[in-house]
């Protein structure tokens, strides 16, 4: 038991930046556990722990942790800003992560007050639904999903069922989606998983992906995600976007670096990219004061009409 008490003390009071000494451990053993041991006995136990790789340090020791504090902060932030995790679950996971390096993190409540205020999922079946979809993908089976949406009371209610062929689970803009075929033409679609309340795995196998996209094409998931920045369904088309050079970062943040510059002058550039037309429509509305859609003309016309409709609401 002495070894366990030593490890508990090191977990709570020491890390790589704040090492403690044998006399500190002797004092804490007596104060916290009412245990008195000789320095020689303690030295033997520390030597054994060091030999087994549990602790490090010579003059001053600490427990070797699986994660560095910077790594724990990354994990904590990923939980903190994950809208697919309910608030109470997020708090519990964050506390567990903080306890892995208590000296540095246990008394720091940085950003934790944001947990409750961030928009988070209300779907209590999210993880069972994820597991079912994942199992169906593994077994290459069709699924019957129950789609839900919020009503005016901010409660999720079921609105329809449909059968889809699931291929991939992805995370886009901190939301889980299933990329699937829903029986409409030869195009892939997506469904937000936190808007699915139930999943039933069917006996029928999925239609192989090559039958949907064509046998001669190879499906590139990364390319698909870059082309569908809002996960809207529909075809990707060639698009020309005009903007000032200084605003290229806004484009790259959403579309990545798979683009070409066809024209440029001292201040402006013309970008060519292949992307989902519906997604680009909403992206252009968001950044309309900074960018101009040049082609296709159909998208340009749709933006004109959309802006006119918006303007009418404020006249």
């Amino acid at each position: 038991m002495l070894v366990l008490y030593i490890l508990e003390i090191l977990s709570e009071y020491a890390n790589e930046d704040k090492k403690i000494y044998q006399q500190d451990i002797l004092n804490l053993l007596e104060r916290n556990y009412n245990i008195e041991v000789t320095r020689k006995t303690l030295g033997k136990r520390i030597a054994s722990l060091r030999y087994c790789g549990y602790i490090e340090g010579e003059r001053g020791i600490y427990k070797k942790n699986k994660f560095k504090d910077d790594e724990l902060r990354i994990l904590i932030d990923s939980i903190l800003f994950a809208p697919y995790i309910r608030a109470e679950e997020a708090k519990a996971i964050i506390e567990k992560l903080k306890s892995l390096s208590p000296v540095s993190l246990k008394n720091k409540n940085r950003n934790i007050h944001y947990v409750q205020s961030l928009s988070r999922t209300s779907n209590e079946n999210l993880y069972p639904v994820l597991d079912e979809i994942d199992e169906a993908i593994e077994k290459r089976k069709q699924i019957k999903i129950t789609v839900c949406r919020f009503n005016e009371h901010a409660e999720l209610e079921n609105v329809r069922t449909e059968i889809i062929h699931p291929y991939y689970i992805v995370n886009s803009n901190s939301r889980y989606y299933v990329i699937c075929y829903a029986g409409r033409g030869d195009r892939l679609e997506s469904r937000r998983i936190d808007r699915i309340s139930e999943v039933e795995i069917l006996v029928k196998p999925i239609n192989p992906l090559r039958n949907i996209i064509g046998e001669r094409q190879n499906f590139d998931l990364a390319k698909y995600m870059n082309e569908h920045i809002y996960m809207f369904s529909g075809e990707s088309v060639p698009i020309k976007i005009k903007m000032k050079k200084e605003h290229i970062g806004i484009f790259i943040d959403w579309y990545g670096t798979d683009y070409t510059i066809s024209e440029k002058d001292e201040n402006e550039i013309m970008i060519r990219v292949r992307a989902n037309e519906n997604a680009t429509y909403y992206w252009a509305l968001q950044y309309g004061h900074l960018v101009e859609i040049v082609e296709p003309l159909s998208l340009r016309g749709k933006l004109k009409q959309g802006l006119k409709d918006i303007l009418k609401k404020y006249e």
Side-chain angles (χ1 to χ4, degrees), residues 27-45:
N27 294 338
L28 289 167
L29 283 170
E30 184 175 357
R31 188 183 76 186
N32 294 356
Y33 304 103
N34 198 26
I35 294 176
E36 295 186 31
V37 296
T38 65
R39 184 180 289 273
K40 182 177 181 180
T41 299
L42 177 63
K44 288 181 179 179
R45 299 297 188 277

Side-chain angles (χ1 to χ4, degrees), residues 111-239:
N111 295 330
I112 301 305
H113 57 282
Y114 290 127
V115 169
Q116 199 70 41
S117 61
L118 290 174
S119 175
R120 294 185 177 275
T121 184
S122 299
N123 189 343
E124 296 184 357
N125 291 330
L126 176 62
Y127 293 111
V129 165
L130 269 169
D131 290 341
E132 289 290 300
I133 296 175
D134 189 57
E135 182 180 346
I137 292 173
E138 184 70 23
K139 294 180 177 179
R140 303 175 65 81
K141 298 294 185 182
Q142 296 179 35
I143 56 176
K144 181 180 180 181
I145 62 173
T146 301
V147 179
C148 57
R149 68 183 178 194
F150 281 110
N151 59 25
E152 66 273 20
H153 305 295
E155 299 169 338
L156 286 174
E157 59 181 14
N158 296 334
V159 292
R160 72 175 191 277
T161 61
E162 66 173 326
I163 294 175
I164 62 173
H165 303 235
Y167 299 110
Y168 295 97
I169 293 174
V170 298
N171 190 301
S172 177
N173 298 319
S174 296
R175 304 286 185 188
Y176 281 118
Y177 293 83
V178 54
I179 297 175
C180 61
Y181 174 61
R184 285 182 276 272
D186 58 354
R187 62 192 175 105
L188 293 177
E189 301 183 21
S190 60
R191 299 289 183 271
R192 258 181 70 170
I193 293 179
D194 64 333
R195 294 295 186 266
I196 299 173
S197 60
E198 296 178 21
V199 173
E200 178 186 351
I201 300 177
L202 304 179
V203 175
K204 292 183 178 179
I206 60 171
N207 193 350
L209 187 56
R210 64 178 180 274
N211 292 348
I212 309 301
I213 64 174
E215 292 191 9
R216 295 183 179 180
Q217 299 185 51
N218 291 321
F219 182 75
D220 187 331
L221 182 58
K223 181 181 178 182
Y224 181 90
M225 296 295 289
N226 283 336
E227 291 179 356
H228 296 75
I229 56 174
Y230 291 119
M231 293 306 294
F232 286 118
S233 302
E235 293 296 323
S236 295
V237 298
I239 295 174

Side-chain angles (χ1 to χ4, degrees), residues 9-165:
I9 288 171
L10 292 174
S11 294
E12 187 170 355
Y13 295 99
N15 65 11
E16 187 174 1
D17 298 320
K18 185 180 178 181
K19 303 170 186 177
I20 64 174
Y21 302 90
Q22 288 193 26
Q23 186 59 51
D24 299 318
I25 297 174
L26 290 171
N27 294 338
L28 289 167
L29 283 170
E30 184 175 357
R31 188 183 76 186
N32 294 356
Y33 304 103
N34 198 26
I35 294 176
E36 295 186 31
V37 296
T38 65
R39 184 180 289 273
K40 182 177 181 180
T41 299
L42 177 63
K44 288 181 179 179
R45 299 297 188 277
I46 289 174
S48 297
L49 289 169
R50 183 183 288 112
Y51 177 78
C52 294
Y54 288 103
I55 64 174
E56 292 187 352
E58 295 297 332
R59 293 181 57 81
I61 60 174
Y62 61 96
K63 182 182 175 184
K64 186 177 181 180
N65 291 326
K66 292 182 179 180
F67 296 101
K68 297 179 180 178
D69 284 354
D70 288 344
E71 293 170 333
L72 286 172
R73 288 185 186 277
I74 292 171
L75 293 173
I76 288 172
D77 284 346
S78 69
I79 298 299
L80 178 65
F81 296 105
Y84 51 84
I85 301 177
R86 292 186 296 123
E88 294 307 313
E89 291 178 333
K91 286 181 179 179
I93 295 170
I94 287 171
E95 290 304 317
K96 289 179 182 179
L97 289 171
K98 285 167 61 180
S99 70
L100 296 178
S101 182
V103 170
S104 295
L105 299 178
K106 78 172 181 179
N107 295 320
K108 294 184 178 180
N109 295 316
R110 183 177 65 92
N111 295 330
I112 301 305
H113 57 282
Y114 290 127
V115 169
Q116 199 70 41
S117 61
L118 290 174
S119 175
R120 294 185 177 275
T121 184
S122 299
N123 189 343
E124 296 184 357
N125 291 330
L126 176 62
Y127 293 111
V129 165
L130 269 169
D131 290 341
E132 289 290 300
I133 296 175
D134 189 57
E135 182 180 346
I137 292 173
E138 184 70 23
K139 294 180 177 179
R140 303 175 65 81
K141 298 294 185 182
Q142 296 179 35
I143 56 176
K144 181 180 180 181
I145 62 173
T146 301
V147 179
C148 57
R149 68 183 178 194
F150 281 110
N151 59 25
E152 66 273 20
H153 305 295
E155 299 169 338
L156 286 174
E157 59 181 14
N158 296 334
V159 292
R160 72 175 191 277
T161 61
E162 66 173 326
I163 294 175
I164 62 173
H165 303 235

